[in-house]
Amino acid sequence: MKTLKASIISAFSMHGFTLRSDALNFLHDKLVSLPSEEQQTDVEKMLNQVIGQNLTSPFIDKSNVEAAFKSLHSTTNDDGVLFNVCDAFSLIRFVFNADLKKFLPWSSRYDKAAALHGNPGSKADMLIEKYRTIHQRTSRHRLFAAPAISHCSTESSAFSLRAIEHLLGSSSKEENVIVLGMLTQLKEGQFYLEDPTGVVRLNLSQAVYKGGLFTENNIVLAEGFYEDRIFYVTAIGFPPPEPADITLSHFPNLCVTPYASMNSHRLSANLKRAEEANTDAMFVFLSDVWLDQLQVMQKLQVLFAGYSLMPPTCFVLIGNFLSLPIVGSHSKTFEECFSQLGTLISEFPTLLEKSHFVFVPGPNDPGLPYILPRPAIPPSFLGDFKKKVPKAIFTSNPCHIQYCTQDIVVFREDIISKMCRNSIYTPWEHEEKVDIPNLFVKTVIANGHLLPLPLNVAPVYWEYDHALSLYPLPDVVVCADKYDPYTVTSANSIFLNPGSLPRSNFSFKVYFPSVKQVEDSEITEDQS
């Protein structure tokens, strides 16, 4: 039986590390008093911490393991804040290391901060990382993961994922091949499937499309046969989803918001108890809050008056904040409208004291347009609003809101119409009843991304594409859209669209985190 020191040395050696004697002695002294089962668990946790450090050498010093031990036993994460808002430019970017089979912080690999305007290699890194993330998730799924011990050599429930280079290297016809790759259109009207190993031309004339809105840049599973340098697709669908609890069981450190010292805040027992105990907590989501429309301001007054007796945890107000795009003199109008909103909110002291007000910009609001993620509305457009509403938070689009153990993503984009316009298959022309929101949700979950569209349709900053990632899946994703309001639950995540406030009879959504339920609401006539 191995001694404790031998076990520690073996565990670190398997990951390519060599422990110096002082580091080994430190670990031994800290773990020797624990039961053998806990010793092994703590060694694995220490390894995860060490791997996440910005190491420049495979030799592990005492300082490295001391820092890992301190982080591992820190109580900061488990006693962390109940509510926080993180903009897109502060999120932690992770990359998947295929050798270690772990996600590592991007900064530890490249030792530099992300740039708003990346170099040409940034685009390739973005696409490759997106593929790797989905590939590791798919290959672990029970449909594709071969059993560790086969009880029957002739039977297996697992399918085999093939790389495109496997097809290109095949000299004979091969049937029932399943390939994971990205849909691309390298030539006008001709689709290809691409992965890091190569690209193959597709014949989609006989393909059966399953469950989603298929556009370029989607990562899909294609089944078919390869012949004469063409992959004839018989069925095309999306990679299977993975609920967040499964993802975090494999990668507990995969927390994109910078609030956790080791594991994700979503695994915190203390925060979970606080979440369940606070049954009065609620989030109110409103989109297209047109402050230049008198009727909208009147409805907001009714809304605030109604909630002043039981203040929500947070009002999330989503743009656009004017009914027309900002041009020229409209910037002054924007400032005046927010001043009026500040005056309105100031009439309700209980809301000022107990509620947060989060503002997420829309496509026509001031700031850097057309490219995502969008920064927050500049302070120069807000006048004295922050003085009137001190708890107001202006953040990016998209943004993450942490409430206890829950991760809420808020995104403003007319995405469903773009997905439908660019879909290579139109299910509404072939089926009688089509649930578009459900197909949209399945597509973004499968791709692990808020915007699975070609870059010419939906441009993003290459080195900040991770801000649009949905991996691990958040608890709630608010996709504010001009489309009709909806609530869809899939893979244990809730997707909702509050709808355009003026266009949907002043409807909005209310989320209750203690029970994870969404309520449809509407601002009716004045209650005074």
Side-chain angles (χ1 to χ4, degrees):
M1 185 175 181
K2 282 185 179 181
T3 64
L4 175 57
K5 283 191 174 182
S7 297
I8 295 172
I9 292 172
S10 176
F12 276 78
S13 296
M14 288 181 64
H15 289 78
F17 297 123
T18 300
L19 283 168
R20 297 193 186 278
S21 58
D22 56 348
L24 177 61
N25 292 333
F26 175 85
L27 284 179
H28 179 270
D29 293 343
K30 293 296 183 182
L31 301 177
V32 69
S33 61
L34 299 176
S36 58
E37 298 84 1
E38 292 185 25
Q39 288 176 355
Q40 186 61 35
T41 301
D42 271 24
V43 168
E44 287 295 324
K45 290 180 178 179
M46 293 288 287
L47 263 170
N48 288 336
Q49 283 293 306
V50 170
I51 290 170
Q53 296 175 6
N54 188 13
L55 300 175
T56 58
S57 167
F59 296 98
I60 307 301
D61 296 320
K62 182 181 178 181
S63 60
N64 298 126
V65 294
E66 280 181 334
F69 185 84
K70 182 179 179 180
S71 182
L72 178 60
H73 292 85
S74 169
T75 59
T76 303
N77 176 53
D78 212 40
D79 298 328
V81 293
L82 300 185
F83 176 88
N84 223 321
V85 178
C86 185
D87 72 23
F89 301 95
S90 301
L91 297 175
I92 300 173
R93 180 180 178 183
F94 285 88
V95 293
F96 184 70
N97 187 305
D99 295 327
L100 299 176
K101 293 188 174 6
K102 292 182 183 294
F103 280 92
L104 304 179
W106 184 81
S107 58
S108 68
R109 176 180 172 184
Y110 290 97
D111 194 26
K112 66 174 184 176
L116 194 62
H117 302 290
N119 56 51
S122 302
K123 180 180 179 181
D125 288 343
M126 172 190 72
L127 297 174
I128 291 172
E129 193 54 42
K130 192 181 299 185
Y131 175 85
R132 284 177 178 167
T133 299
I134 296 177
H135 184 271
Q136 63 81 24
R137 186 190 82 194
T138 306
S139 60
R140 283 190 288 102
H141 192 272
R142 58 182 177 81
L143 291 175
F144 299 98
I149 300 176
S150 179
H151 298 287
C152 178
S153 60
T154 59
E155 292 185 10
S156 174
S157 59
F159 297 96
S160 294
L161 280 180
R162 301 294 189 187
I164 290 177
E165 68 176 355
H166 171 84
L167 297 182
L168 301 179
S170 176
S171 59
S172 60
K173 179 178 178 180
E174 190 171 352
E175 298 185 357
N176 299 323
V177 179
I178 299 178
V179 181
L180 180 74
M182 179 179 289
L183 273 177
T184 57
Q185 190 176 188
L186 301 183
K187 296 180 181 179
E188 181 69 27
Q190 181 59 63
F191 289 96
Y192 293 76
L193 198 64
E194 189 172 359
D195 73 6
T197 70
V199 59
V200 63
R201 182 179 170 184
L202 299 179
N203 184 318
L204 297 170
S205 60
Q206 302 299 317
V208 176
Y209 294 83
K210 299 181 179 179
L213 298 172
F214 295 85
T215 68
E216 290 180 64
N217 268 37
N218 280 182
I219 294 180
V220 299
L221 284 171
E223 181 178 7
F225 60 93
Y226 180 69
E227 188 176 26
D228 295 333
R229 294 187 294 178
I230 296 176
F231 188 44
Y232 293 84
V233 180
T234 56
I236 186 168
F238 286 110
E242 183 176 87
D245 56 341
I246 296 178
T247 303
L248 293 173
S249 69
H250 290 280
F251 313 109
N253 69 319
L254 192 55
C255 181
V256 297
T257 51
Y259 312 132
S261 59
M262 178 196 165
N263 289 341
S264 171
H265 62 271
R266 300 170 77 174
L267 302 174
S268 168
N270 287 351
L271 291 177
K272 185 66 176 178
R273 285 191 290 270
E275 176 185 303
E276 294 172 346
N278 191 6
T279 56
D280 293 332
M282 68 178 97
F283 287 74
V284 178
F285 297 100
L286 306 97
S287 180
D288 276 349
V289 185
W290 292 347
L291 301 177
D292 59 338
Q293 298 290 312
L294 178 61
Q295 190 177 18
V296 170
M297 295 296 287
Q298 292 172 340
K299 293 293 185 179
L300 287 178
Q301 185 173 28
V302 173
L303 178 79
F304 294 148
Y307 277 115
S308 62
L309 301 176
M310 187 177 289
T313 305
C314 181
F315 288 96
V316 182
L317 284 76
I318 309 167
N320 302 308
F321 291 106
L322 294 185
S323 56
L324 297 173
I326 298 291
V327 290
S329 60
H330 286 180
S331 59
K332 187 64 176 177
T333 303
F334 195 91
E335 182 179 334
E336 292 172 352
C337 287
F338 262 91
S339 180
Q340 293 171 11
L341 178 63
T343 302
L344 175 60
I345 296 174
S346 300
E347 297 175 6
F348 306 97
T350 54
L351 297 183
L352 279 177
E353 178 186 355
K354 298 183 178 180
S355 296
H356 296 275
F357 291 83
V358 175
F359 293 86
V360 179
N364 295 333
D365 289 324
L368 299 176
Y370 311 123
I371 305 178
L372 290 167
R374 285 177 59 101
I377 296 171
S380 57
F381 285 85
L382 302 173
D384 60 352
F385 180 81
K386 290 293 290 283
K387 294 180 181 178
K388 295 179 179 179
V389 188
K391 296 181 77 172
I393 301 170
F394 288 85
T395 187
S396 63
N397 176 27
C399 69
H400 282 246
I401 300 175
Q402 175 224 337
Y403 175 74
C404 294
T405 67
Q406 297 192 35
D407 189 17
I408 302 170
V409 172
V410 182
F411 180 49
R412 173 63 177 95
E413 183 67 39
D414 297 325
I415 182 63
I416 286 186
S417 60
K418 289 184 178 180
M419 293 285 289
C420 290
R421 283 199 307 268
N422 290 277
S423 181
I424 66 172
Y425 172 74
T426 51
W428 48 89
E429 295 180 0
H430 302 82
E431 304 170 29
E432 291 186 8
K433 296 184 67 176
V434 178
D435 187 345
I436 297 295
N438 189 51
L439 294 179
F440 163 72
V441 169
K442 286 183 177 180
T443 303
V444 296
I445 286 179
N447 281 269
H449 200 274
L450 285 166
L451 207 59
L453 283 165
L455 294 174
N456 64 310
V457 175
V460 300
Y461 293 109
W462 299 334
E463 291 195 8
Y464 284 98
D465 181 73
H466 63 282
L468 298 158
S469 171
L470 294 179
Y471 190 77
L473 276 173
D475 297 276
V476 180
V477 181
V478 181
C479 292
D481 197 314
K482 289 191 298 187
Y483 197 82
D484 295 338
Y486 63 79
T487 302
V488 175
T489 300
S490 183
N492 298 336
S493 290
I494 300 172
F495 285 71
L496 64 93
N497 174 25
S500 176
L501 190 67
R503 297 189 183 102
S504 59
N505 202 26
F506 296 96
S507 66
F508 62 99
K509 300 279 188 179
V510 182
Y511 175 63
F512 299 91
S514 62
V515 291
K516 294 189 174 182
Q517 291 183 358
V518 177
E519 181 181 278
D520 297 332
S521 299
E522 185 178 303
I523 307 174
T524 54
E525 62 187 33
D526 197 326
Q527 299 171 351
S528 58

